[in-house]
Amino acid sequence: MTTTRPIPPAVFYPFGAGDIENDRSDDGSSSVIYLLHHFIFFGQTYSQIYVNNNGHLTFNGPFHSYTPYQFPGYGEIDLIAPFWTDIDNEGNGVISYRQYTSGSVLTEATQDINQYFPELSFSATWVFVATWDRVAYFPLSGTETSFQVVLISDDLEDYLNKMLKVFYHNLSQAGYDTINSRYHFSIPGSFSNNITNLTYSSNVNVPGRWAFRTDHGSRGCQFNGNVFAILLKCFYLFP
């Protein structure tokens, strides 16, 4: 038996109708997705992306790993992990994605970014939304986990939003890592029972939300231009 806390309607960006769905496949991935707007990730410019079923995004190819490593991993890939764990959508759940260049989603993204970076005058021109909706944790078929990652850009700056409803499990990693871990961040609570504290933790004085800029790496390194933010809105499903 599980106990859930309902998700307010405003937690996730719109998803479902009009999305492209990944195949139902344990440890699967999308095919290559060509971005309608380039995305800059800590100095690297990408024009394609992959939505991997086990809760991460990669840029240069699909990534099938279901066992997360702790960041920094000093690996060979750039990796965005809204919630990296062992997910199996063969029995239940839908993994989907969609790009936007106009409409209400851009308005919502613009409002979110300006709220957390009030010193900027930001106007979103492109949004990429990937959603894991009520997917199961392997091998516990019938469990439900939902989370979402949103890439946002205007003509000058790039952002990453994360919104999560997460299944409670020790082997989970939330955050980001880059090639050789020059820039990386592990959301506190990853790989521990304290993953539930994401509901209350923050670095922008808003419980459950985190924001980072790509011109400030986790080791204090800086480089010019381009921004992304991680905004966490967390709700939990307990076994």
Side-chain angles (χ1 to χ4, degrees):
M1 180 177 180
T2 60
T3 301
T4 63
R5 190 182 308 176
I7 303 178
V11 169
F12 284 0
Y13 278 36
F15 67 92
D19 284 10
I20 299 172
E21 296 184 7
N22 281 14
D23 290 339
R24 293 184 178 274
S25 172
D26 186 25
D27 305 328
S29 176
S30 70
S31 57
V32 60
I33 304 164
Y34 294 104
L35 302 179
L36 300 178
H37 186 289
H38 68 266
F39 188 75
I40 299 176
F41 186 65
F42 288 101
Q44 297 292 322
T45 300
Y46 291 105
S47 59
Q48 65 183 39
I49 202 166
Y50 295 81
V51 176
N52 304 304
N53 288 6
N54 284 317
H56 37 63
L57 304 180
T58 47
F59 297 97
N60 290 326
F63 187 51
H64 303 292
S65 175
Y66 57 85
T67 302
Y69 55 75
Q70 290 182 282
F71 299 158
Y74 303 100
E76 299 179 351
I77 61 172
D78 285 333
L79 179 68
I80 299 169
F83 195 70
W84 180 6
T85 192
D86 192 356
I87 290 169
D88 183 1
N89 68 327
E90 291 180 303
N92 60 274
V94 175
I95 301 168
S96 64
Y97 58 89
R98 186 175 181 179
Q99 300 186 66
Y100 298 86
T101 56
S102 63
S104 61
V105 171
L106 266 64
T107 301
E108 183 176 358
T110 296
Q111 293 171 345
D112 284 345
I113 296 304
N114 284 316
Q115 178 180 353
Y116 294 106
F117 295 90
E119 73 279 9
L120 302 176
S121 179
F122 184 87
S123 180
T125 58
W126 170 82
V127 174
F128 177 87
V129 180
T131 306
W132 290 254
D133 180 35
R134 294 174 291 179
V135 293
Y137 176 81
F138 181 84
L140 304 177
S141 61
T143 56
E144 294 185 356
T145 303
S146 298
F147 53 97
Q148 186 178 78
V149 58
V150 183
L151 310 185
I152 304 171
S153 182
D154 66 3
D155 290 333
L156 299 175
E157 298 167 320
D158 298 306
Y159 296 77
L160 167 66
N161 299 335
K162 293 183 183 178
M163 286 153 282
L164 308 175
K165 172 192 171 186
V166 297
F167 181 79
Y168 173 66
H169 191 270
N170 286 348
L171 288 179
S172 55
Q173 173 69 67
Y176 62 82
D177 203 7
T178 60
I179 296 171
N180 297 322
S181 296
R182 185 177 182 186
Y183 303 98
H184 58 84
F185 191 83
S186 180
I187 301 296
S190 296
F191 271 83
S192 77
N193 292 341
N194 292 328
I195 194 71
T196 56
N197 288 340
L198 286 175
T199 300
Y200 312 106
S201 63
S202 175
N203 66 343
V204 290
N205 296 317
V206 179
R209 301 183 186 183
W210 289 73
F212 303 91
R213 296 188 59 165
T214 56
D215 55 349
H216 292 78
S218 65
R219 296 179 178 176
C221 301
Q222 298 186 20
F223 51 89
N224 293 328
N226 300 303
V227 180
F228 83 73
I230 298 173
L231 307 183
L232 293 172
K233 305 177 184 178
C234 305
F235 297 84
Y236 296 95
L237 174 63
F238 295 96

